[in-house]
Structure formats: structure tokens, C-alpha cells
Amino acid sequence: MRTDFDLGDYETACFAAMKAVEVGICGASGLDNSLVGVALMRKAFQPHQNGKPGGPLADAGEQEAESALFAGAMDRYKNPSSHRTVDFADPIEAARIIQFADLLLRQVDRARARNS
């Protein structure tokens, strides 16, 4: 079976990769699946503040950066394809977006392990 990427459908391949990140965050955080995109990322990685607990995936270090990283990834690489056609003509760029999604998923796995 050929993948979307193999078929040259880079937009769908990148969207699916970023959607996998979103689904992974939802599952790892235990947050309601009505939260999506940037709102989900901000809630899941909300930094600890003033002695109050942060989001379920907030780590001890670089909390604001991690929140911004995941929210930015959704806003830049998933949201546009959710709302309009995006021209991903360059297979190398598409492959890099998919690899970036894989890196984010690895961070999600570490957060899940930390919380178990």
C-alpha cells in the first residue's frame, strides 16, 4: 500500500502527521477531545505558575518553550490544511515536516512515561 507521501499528496501526509501529534497529546494528557489545535497544546503544556500545577504534560524545565513549540507546530503545520488548500510542492519540505511531527511524538511519549 502506498502512502500519501509516496503518492505525492504532501499536504495530506503533513496534515496526517500533525494530526497524529494532536491525537497523541490528547491521549497522553487525558484532556477532553473537544479541545483541539493550539488550545489543546496550551492546556496540555500550560506552565506551572505561582505554586499552581500546570498542564498534565508540563515538565519541570522549559515549560513555556515546550508550550510555544507545540502550539506553534499546530498553528503553522496543521491548522492551514484544516481550513484551506496548502501547496506542498517540495517533497523535502514535506518530509521535514513529517520528521518534525515524529520528533514531537517522541516528546509526547516521554511525557506519557513521566506521568505513568
Side-chain angles (χ1 to χ4, degrees):
M1 180 165 150
R2 296 183 65 191
T3 66
D4 292 320
F5 186 89
D6 292 333
L7 294 169
D9 187 356
Y10 306 127
E11 179 183 4
T12 301
C14 291
F15 177 81
M18 295 309 296
K19 180 181 173 186
V21 173
E22 186 176 52
V23 169
I25 294 291
C26 190
S29 69
L31 293 170
D32 187 86
N33 65 6
S34 65
L35 278 172
V36 295
V38 173
L40 172 62
M41 302 305 125
R42 292 294 188 188
K43 185 85 171 176
F45 292 101
Q46 180 179 353
H48 304 279
Q49 293 179 351
N50 303 322
K52 295 180 183 175
L57 301 181
D59 193 5
E62 294 80 31
Q63 294 174 15
E64 191 59 47
E66 196 164 53
S67 175
L69 176 67
F70 277 85
M74 285 297 117
D75 207 20
R76 177 64 181 95
Y77 296 115
K78 182 188 168 282
N79 285 355
S81 293
S82 298
H83 305 292
R84 63 185 173 275
T85 300
V86 179
D87 182 21
F88 281 104
D90 183 357
I92 293 172
E93 180 183 7
R96 288 178 176 156
I97 292 166
I98 293 165
Q99 289 172 329
F100 179 51
D102 181 67
L103 176 64
L104 294 175
L105 282 168
R106 289 173 187 266
Q107 289 182 241
V108 171
D109 289 343
R110 283 195 297 275
R112 185 182 314 231
R114 227 183 16 252
N115 291 340
S116 318

